[in-house]
Amino acid sequence: MTSTDVAKASGFSRQLVGFVLNNTPGQTIPETTRAKVLRAATELGYVPHGPAQALRRGRGRTVLLAIPDLPQGGTMGDVIETAADELAAEGFTLVTYLLGAEQRSPREVAAALTPVAVAGMLPFSAADVATFTASGAAVVLPQPGTGFGSNLDESMRLLGELQVEYLVSRGHRRIVFAAPDDARTSGLASGRYEGARAAAERLGLPRLKRHVVPTSGAEDSVRVWRSGRHPITAVACHGDETAFAVLAAARSAGMRIPDDLAVMGADELPIARYAEPPLTTVSVDGRSAGIRLARTLVDLLADRTPPPFDYHDGITVVPRVSA
């Protein structure tokens, strides 16, 4: 169905129907006329053609979100769901794109969708920004050096910093960073490790070592950490899944948690509180991040300066028994 069909059904001109359907400003149209046009459109099942509307407005209503090809947990789901709701309330549609999932690059996807804005979890290159802008995007986040938008690198480093700072506050100085052996998380693990390593250096600790824990179990890792004259007393784990493996191995070895070995996770999975013992972890508020991202995009699209935010916002330590 097209606007021409709506015009025929309602008995008005195509121009007047176009004014009503597009909510064109500056037009004085009686409410009874407007209601009749909209009723005809509803009865016919008329749906506006997005690309045509974008051409008329000079700007589309689609926002493209590029997501890293990583195991998608509850936090990312919260980010996407909340951002989509916030943007929908402002008349925008969020479309997600999983990086690496297809042969086409995000730039090709952007060219096909002509989004009004493109957002990602990592800063785009200057070439990507130029390509997105050429395809019609008025806003691209994050850009190199930007102060606005999500930046996964900064968040990951902050997680590692908080882990080490908390463990040091509990009296630990011999700490190891436990990374998973999943290749897909190597980027995230590197960022979290760099944050943990930098915090350890700043706090005067011995150089923080990074130890890969195999998916088959952490028994060998725990044995290595606890051997020697100066055994490791605390483990900062890349995520809660790794922490669960370390907890299980430590219990099998007869260790007391946290007296013999303190264990700390990250991402606060729902089952973390039910671990044995309950897992100390770092919580990432995905809903808060989604709201901040959406509102930043909306403000920039409206030529408003978004309020500043701190990467600490929504990222907090959740103390429990394990550390």
Side-chain angles (χ1 to χ4, degrees), residues 3 5-13 16-17 33 36-38 40-41 44:
S3 59
D5 298 309
V6 177
K8 290 179 181 178
S10 63
F12 296 109
S13 69
L16 185 145
V17 167
T33 300
K36 188 173 181 180
V37 171
L38 295 176
L44 291 172

Side-chain angles (χ1 to χ4, degrees), residues 70 75 81 98 106 110 126 129 141 171 188 197 206-207 240 254 272 300 323:
L70 301 169
T75 299
E81 180 181 351
L98 185 62
V129 173
L141 290 179
L188 291 182
R197 184 199 59 76
R207 178 173 176 79
D240 287 353
L300 292 175

Side-chain angles (χ1 to χ4, degrees), residues 15-292:
Q15 184 179 34
L16 185 145
V17 167
F19 289 155
V20 174
L21 295 178
N22 296 317
N23 199 24
T24 304
Q27 302 298 319
T28 303
I29 301 173
E31 285 304 315
T32 54
T33 300
R34 186 182 298 274
K36 188 173 181 180
V37 171
L38 295 176
R39 184 167 59 250
T42 300
E43 291 173 352
L44 291 172
Y46 168 78
V47 177
H49 186 248
Q53 285 198 330
L55 286 173
R56 285 193 294 270
R57 288 192 301 259
R59 179 172 287 185
R61 306 296 289 180
T62 299
V63 174
L64 178 65
L65 177 62
I67 303 173
D69 185 14
L70 301 169
Q72 304 301 321
T75 299
M76 185 60 73
D78 287 342
V79 170
I80 295 171
E81 180 181 351
T82 307
D85 288 344
E86 290 287 319
L87 289 169
E90 298 291 338
F92 297 95
T93 299
L94 182 68
V95 176
T96 59
Y97 174 82
L98 185 62
L99 296 171
E102 301 178 17
Q103 294 301 315
R104 292 192 301 173
S105 69
R107 284 177 287 177
E108 292 175 291
V109 175
L113 294 174
T114 59
V116 66
V118 180
M121 297 291 105
L122 297 170
F124 293 109
S125 67
D128 283 339
V129 173
T131 301
F132 293 142
T133 302
S135 71
V139 172
V140 181
L141 290 179
Q143 298 183 19
T146 184
F148 303 115
S150 177
N151 189 330
L152 198 59
D153 279 342
E154 294 285 350
S155 298
M156 292 305 99
R157 286 193 289 270
L158 176 58
L159 283 175
E161 291 177 15
L162 290 177
Q163 286 180 311
V164 169
E165 288 172 356
Y166 179 79
L167 291 172
V168 170
S169 74
R170 303 292 292 175
H172 298 282
R173 295 190 58 81
R174 295 191 297 275
I175 305 170
V176 69
F177 183 87
D181 63 354
D182 186 340
R184 296 176 300 168
T185 64
S186 59
L188 291 182
S190 296
R192 295 183 182 188
Y193 168 68
E194 282 305 313
R197 184 199 59 76
E201 182 177 346
R202 172 167 48 84
L203 295 171
L205 272 61
R207 178 173 176 79
L208 187 75
K209 293 184 177 180
R210 178 176 179 270
H211 191 110
V212 176
V213 176
T215 54
S216 57
E219 288 76 10
D220 291 341
S221 301
V222 169
R223 190 160 40 249
V224 169
W225 297 335
R226 294 298 296 168
S227 63
R229 294 178 55 190
H230 303 290
I232 294 296
T233 64
V235 186
C237 297
H238 161 79
D240 287 353
E241 296 94 336
T242 303
F244 296 151
V246 173
L247 284 176
R251 287 198 306 270
S252 296
M255 296 180 186
R256 297 169 300 160
I257 307 292
D259 296 337
D260 298 328
L261 186 68
V263 181
M264 187 170 183
D267 299 323
E268 198 191 10
L269 295 180
I271 59 174
R273 68 187 62 189
Y274 303 115
E276 181 54 44
L279 181 64
T280 297
T281 186
V282 181
S283 172
V284 181
D285 187 349
R287 302 191 67 81
S288 173
I291 291 172
R292 291 201 309 272

